[in-house]
Amino acid sequence: MAAVIPEDELLPDVNTVDHVAAAAEAYWEVAGSFVVNPWKDGRTSLNITLMYAGGWSLLETVMVNYTQPGAAPTAVSAARMLLEEAARATWRYSVAPDKAEARFVQYFDEYRAMRRNTINTLTGSGISRKTAEQIFAMPANVRLTKPLDQVTKGREPLPTITSMLRDLGKPYPEPGWLELAYTLLSQMTHSTPVAYLHTLRAGNPWTNDLSPEMLALTLDVACLGSARLIGLGAWLLSDLSEESKEYRNRLARAAADVHNAARSVHFLD
């Protein structure tokens, strides 16, 4: 107990996230400046549409919740999901055109195998196979390139999320910072003692507010991740149009502005 510092002897906390929040709000305005209708032709690519719509949904979760008392951990979880999905999307599309098909087969085989294994687990626990397959059935209006239960023999598993994050972070001054960012956001998501300290630091531990460092990291990662998902999705759903390409570039620049502001708060990169 002698190691505990009395509250009146603590130095004032002068760290602030205000300038990061201002940059994130500016990013939000840029994100809303160009919106794509995936169903404009009456049909769409489910994979790309889910990437685009998922990016929007998670970004909105962050931007709506980060200012609300007690709701900040929700924003952290959404930011973590954005980072994870951005790493997967970057891996999926960062390959030469002649190797793209093989990478997509590898990607979807992973989830076909997971589906098959889950169905086998359910049927082994007393659930009928027909019921188990209905749980994971696609809607009637989804057209498949091959049956859901058809998995390539000798398939290569997906890289780990750690290796994907390492690749995503290569252009930064501290290449491994996204791995560390993901770990810290995971601490908040799973309510560990580290997470509790980042809420206790903000004041009342019962309101679940975030420390400036964790909130800055949340906004930073949310903008970087959503810029990848939304920008890439808009570009692909717009048939690689010049307008969508410029939007994608503007989104990346706005996310970089958030990152530059956040670096002086969370100090990870």
Side-chain angles (χ1 to χ4, degrees):
M1 292 299 294
V4 177
I5 302 173
E7 185 176 356
D8 57 0
E9 292 184 14
L10 290 173
L11 293 174
D13 189 350
V14 296
N15 208 356
T16 177
V17 77
D18 289 349
H19 61 300
V20 184
E25 293 292 345
Y27 170 86
W28 175 251
E29 292 296 322
V30 173
S33 65
F34 181 81
V35 179
V36 176
N37 175 15
W39 302 96
K40 62 183 183 301
D41 299 322
R43 53 186 292 182
T44 187
S45 166
L46 181 61
N47 172 49
I48 300 172
T49 299
L50 289 176
M51 177 179 67
Y52 177 72
W56 263 114
S57 178
L58 291 170
L59 176 62
E60 187 171 11
T61 299
V62 174
M63 298 305 294
V64 167
N65 283 294
Y66 85 91
T67 59
Q68 302 302 313
T74 303
V76 173
S77 297
R80 176 180 177 269
M81 291 175 68
L82 279 167
L83 180 57
E84 188 171 328
E85 289 306 313
R88 289 196 180 99
T90 300
W91 173 84
R92 200 158 67 246
Y93 287 96
S94 60
V95 65
D98 60 326
K99 298 180 180 179
E101 182 177 350
R103 179 156 292 190
F104 271 80
V105 169
Q106 180 185 355
Y107 178 80
F108 288 109
D109 272 348
E110 180 83 12
Y111 296 98
R112 284 188 170 93
M114 291 172 64
R115 174 185 179 276
R116 181 184 61 190
N117 293 340
T118 304
I119 289 175
N120 288 339
T121 299
L122 291 173
T123 55
S125 302
I127 297 176
S128 71
R129 178 162 292 273
K130 180 179 178 181
T131 300
E133 288 179 346
Q134 285 178 340
I135 294 173
F136 296 97
M138 286 288 184
N141 62 339
V142 174
R143 296 175 59 187
L144 301 171
T145 55
K146 68 177 185 179
L148 281 174
D149 57 356
Q150 184 178 330
V151 181
T152 304
K153 276 191 173 183
R155 69 179 184 86
E156 182 182 356
L158 292 184
T160 64
I161 187 62
T162 299
S163 66
M164 291 182 185
L165 288 169
R166 189 178 300 121
D167 290 340
L168 188 62
K170 283 180 179 178
Y172 294 94
E174 294 287 344
W177 85 275
L178 285 176
E179 299 168 64
L180 179 56
Y182 184 77
T183 299
L184 288 171
L185 295 173
S186 297
Q187 296 282 331
M188 297 298 302
T189 301
H190 299 297
S191 301
T192 67
V194 170
Y196 182 70
L197 289 174
H198 276 280
T199 57
L200 183 65
R201 161 86 177 280
N204 187 339
W206 312 117
T207 60
N208 284 327
D209 291 331
L210 295 176
S211 66
E213 293 83 1
M214 188 59 70
L215 184 51
L217 181 62
T218 296
L219 294 174
D220 187 6
V221 163
C223 294
L224 290 174
S226 62
R228 294 280 178 138
L229 297 174
I230 296 173
L232 178 60
W235 187 55
L236 294 173
L237 290 170
S238 300
D239 299 322
L240 316 185
S241 70
E242 283 300 317
E243 185 181 13
S244 62
K245 180 180 178 181
E246 173 55 28
Y247 168 72
R248 186 183 180 190
N249 291 336
R250 286 191 289 112
L251 206 57
R253 288 193 295 267
D257 290 341
V258 178
H259 179 59
N260 288 333
R263 291 172 67 190
S264 63
V265 182
H266 61 57
F267 296 106
L268 294 188
D269 177 43

